[in-house]
Amino acid sequence: MRRRVALRLSAALGTLALAAATGAVLTAPEATAAVTAGATGYATQNGGTTGGAGGRTVRATTGTAIHQALCGRAAADTPIVIEVEGTINHGNTTKVSGGSCSTAADKIELKQVSNITIVGVGSGAVFDQLGIHIRESSNIIIQNVTVRNVKKSGSPLSNGGDAIGMESDVRNVWVDHTTLEASGGESEGYDGLFDMKDNTQYVTLSYSTLRNSGRGGLIGSSESDVSNGYITFHHNLYENIDSRAPLLRGGTAHMYNNHYLSLNESGINSRAGAKARVDNNYFEDSKDVLGTFYTDQAGYWQVSGNVYDNVTWSAPGEDTDPAGPDPESNTTVNIPYAYTLDQASCVPDIVRQTAGAGKGLKVSDGSCTPQTPTDPTPDPTDPTDPAEPTPGPTAPGGTNLSLGAGADGSSKASGTSYGHVRDGDLGTYWSPNGTTGSVSVKWGSATTVSTVVVRETTATAGRIGSWRVRNGDTGAVLASGSGAGVITFPATSLRKITFEITGAGGTPQVAEVETYAG
């Protein structure tokens, strides 16, 4: 089968081979210069995924520059947005050393780091024969990039042959509007396009194209590696893939509104106790698109609203348990986040218009019509210029309910106090023990609050990046955003309100968390 795939690819890859031989840079349409929409799926859980929101923005045109940006931060968790343009390859990617990074010359290495966004801009970002490796890291966004022809055998080698690979206690990754592609299967030197193993959780792959590979990707490297899970795949195109679309060992995954075209041997392979929820997908010209394959350790699935267009099914066997020809659910999978389904019949068209790099970050709102998101992010300040001071927010009218209230929090730096945020004194402050943490204002009885004003000290104005305001009684998120200022939300009766900093450009100093009824 892989030989047949290679033959099928030869014509389509002729242009790609010519470009590589001549050193030409393949360009994509003009791209948005920043992330324009929030994470979706399981990446919204476990505290959410915001990447480098609120941090410094830098531009990189080489792999070495990407590594320099990582290593130039104050700490391994200092938020940063790295805008990438051009072709990143072995020739321009070197190891860079520093206290906030651990890099390598043969891959883009995101190791033991957090709060990072890598986004393609301008004429496009292509990682050519160079994979992206995420290890022991959290809160990562990769958006609007192409990763192609990463090899595990032959030359050059990179990332074990994975286009994007995650392993070892990875949490909260959102990969969006990417193109991941190979030029054949294992015999041609390639491995997976999107692999997760060794305790990787809370990941979303959205609006991406995966094509021309023997292996789409796996969740779990063996039947005993079942600590991975909580993965969402939506509005992706899997095209000309032999198998693993994906392979799921243990854990839970949600696949909705994907277009699977030419899955040559098998598709969603749920095994070793895994559970897959499969909603409103379109399977076309494919074989054994769902089931348990190549093992006697069963997996499970819940199916709804899918279209099976020219799909063939194998007979059940000792190590083959296809879900078809009339797939039915054999488990129940509860999904904890909100999502809107497109009708399966329109999935090929909506995915064609939205999936992959260079598509303008277009998305669907369930209407089967592509939507162009507006960019709420202001133009980034030139990183070589000193930051403009942040003006203090204007307080609303009424009484500051924080005065005289109680306070607590998740952590505090030495010499600071939670109570400093509700004492009315801009000269005192609370700092987290690090760059992230939470502080709460609380009352002895239910109090109605609809506005919070967060004031930083003058010396640290602008450090606060991404944040959430939570109902301290229930944990519900009342508002989220970035930067200090006035925060409004529907009036809520509560006994405790929490301001949670999830990203910052240095250690924040919160002088006051004022609260108002109106």
Side-chain angles (χ1 to χ4, degrees):
M1 181 63 70
R2 288 185 177 85
R3 180 179 299 275
R4 181 157 60 90
V5 171
L7 293 173
R8 189 181 303 163
L9 291 172
S10 59
L13 295 170
T15 302
L16 182 63
L18 177 61
T22 60
V25 176
L26 301 184
T27 60
E30 183 70 11
T32 304
V35 176
T36 58
T40 55
Y42 273 114
T44 65
Q45 305 298 290
N46 190 44
T49 304
T50 57
R56 181 180 179 219
T57 298
V58 300
R59 184 69 65 100
T61 58
T62 67
T64 300
I66 295 174
H67 286 162
Q68 288 171 335
L70 294 172
C71 297
R73 296 172 300 150
D77 61 355
T78 300
I80 191 168
V81 176
I82 304 174
E83 297 181 337
V84 182
E85 183 175 19
T87 300
I88 310 301
N89 56 33
H90 286 262
N92 62 32
T93 301
T94 58
K95 175 181 174 65
V96 178
S97 299
S100 60
C101 66
S102 177
T103 68
D106 61 348
K107 61 181 76 70
I108 297 300
E109 186 81 297
L110 305 180
K111 181 178 179 182
Q112 298 170 346
V113 294
S114 60
N115 307 326
I116 294 166
T117 294
I118 294 177
V119 56
V121 298
S123 59
V126 177
F127 294 78
D128 184 28
Q129 304 180 75
L130 197 75
I132 299 174
H133 185 223
I134 304 172
R135 182 183 179 94
E136 300 172 71
S137 297
S138 63
N139 195 24
I140 307 294
I141 294 174
I142 299 173
Q143 190 171 48
N144 200 43
V145 303
T146 294
V147 187
R148 68 188 185 198
N149 290 338
V150 180
K151 286 193 171 186
K152 72 172 184 176
S153 63
S155 179
L157 303 179
S158 177
N159 200 29
D162 297 336
I164 296 178
M166 290 163 265
E167 61 180 311
S168 300
D169 303 321
V170 173
R171 293 290 185 277
N172 290 87
V173 177
W174 178 36
V175 178
D176 177 66
H177 283 91
T178 63
T179 298
L180 311 177
E181 56 191 9
S183 299
E186 186 175 18
S187 61
E188 287 79 35
Y190 306 100
D191 195 13
L193 296 177
F194 195 69
D195 278 12
M196 292 158 278
K197 54 190 178 183
D198 192 15
N199 198 24
T200 293
Q201 298 181 358
Y202 300 105
V203 176
T204 294
L205 177 67
S206 58
Y207 297 102
S208 292
T209 294
L210 298 85
R211 63 187 172 206
N212 301 338
S213 177
R215 296 168 173 173
L218 58 77
I219 305 168
S221 59
S222 67
E223 307 297 69
S224 61
D225 182 15
V226 294
S227 60
N228 311 278
Y230 308 117
I231 317 296
T232 300
F233 303 82
H234 74 90
H235 292 93
N236 302 300
L237 170 64
Y238 283 80
E239 182 179 14
N240 192 25
I241 302 290
D242 277 3
S243 62
R244 302 186 182 182
L247 164 59
L248 175 62
R249 292 174 166 120
T252 299
H254 186 198
M255 298 84 170
Y256 71 91
N257 286 153
N258 300 292
H259 184 199
Y260 300 90
L261 177 63
S262 297
L263 303 182
N264 303 310
E265 297 177 5
S266 61
I268 300 170
N269 185 353
S270 179
R271 53 201 267 191
K275 294 183 178 182
R277 179 155 173 172
V278 186
D279 296 327
N280 287 34
N281 300 281
Y282 197 103
F283 299 94
E284 183 177 4
D285 297 340
S286 296
K287 176 184 177 183
D288 286 342
V289 298
L290 174 64
T292 296
F293 306 104
Y294 323 123
T295 182
D296 59 1
Q297 296 191 32
Y300 308 95
W301 45 84
Q302 179 180 346
V303 294
S304 175
N306 301 291
V307 170
Y308 305 93
D309 180 0
N310 191 32
V311 171
T312 59
W313 301 91
S314 298
E318 183 176 340
D319 63 354
T320 301
D321 183 18
D326 297 308
E328 296 183 355
S329 302
N330 58 16
T331 193
T332 299
V333 182
N334 295 316
I335 302 301
Y337 51 81
Y339 61 99
T340 303
L341 291 171
D342 286 302
Q343 291 296 317
S345 59
C346 76
V347 162
D349 188 54
I350 193 67
V351 167
R352 176 183 57 81
Q353 296 181 73
T354 58
K359 293 293 184 69
L361 302 181
K362 291 181 180 179
V363 298
S364 176
D365 61 0
S367 65
C368 293
T369 302
Q371 310 291 316
T372 301
T374 57
D375 186 355
T377 308
D379 291 337
T381 302
D382 187 329
T384 63
D385 293 339
E388 294 291 333
T390 303
T394 301
T399 301
N400 176 9
L401 303 173
S402 297
L403 297 175
D408 61 26
S410 65
S411 69
K412 59 183 175 181
S414 176
T416 71
S417 170
Y418 304 124
H420 288 161
V421 304
R422 46 79 172 158
D423 62 2
D425 184 354
L426 294 176
T428 63
Y429 61 88
W430 160 82
S431 286
N433 184 17
T435 57
T436 62
S438 62
V439 63
S440 301
V441 176
K442 57 186 180 180
W443 300 269
S445 59
T447 301
T448 298
V449 178
S450 66
T451 303
V452 171
V453 178
V454 177
R455 299 183 184 273
E456 300 177 276
T457 62
T458 302
T460 64
R463 284 190 185 177
I464 292 177
S466 54
W467 51 259
R468 287 186 288 261
V469 173
R470 292 185 180 273
N471 182 329
D473 301 344
T474 66
V477 176
L478 302 175
S480 61
S482 61
V486 179
I487 305 165
T488 61
F489 44 86
T492 304
S493 179
L494 41 72
R495 295 166 63 96
K496 179 177 177 178
I497 193 164
T498 299
F499 179 67
E500 180 183 9
I501 300 171
T502 58
T507 300
Q509 294 179 359
V510 179
E512 292 295 303
V513 177
E514 301 172 2
T515 52
Y516 298 87

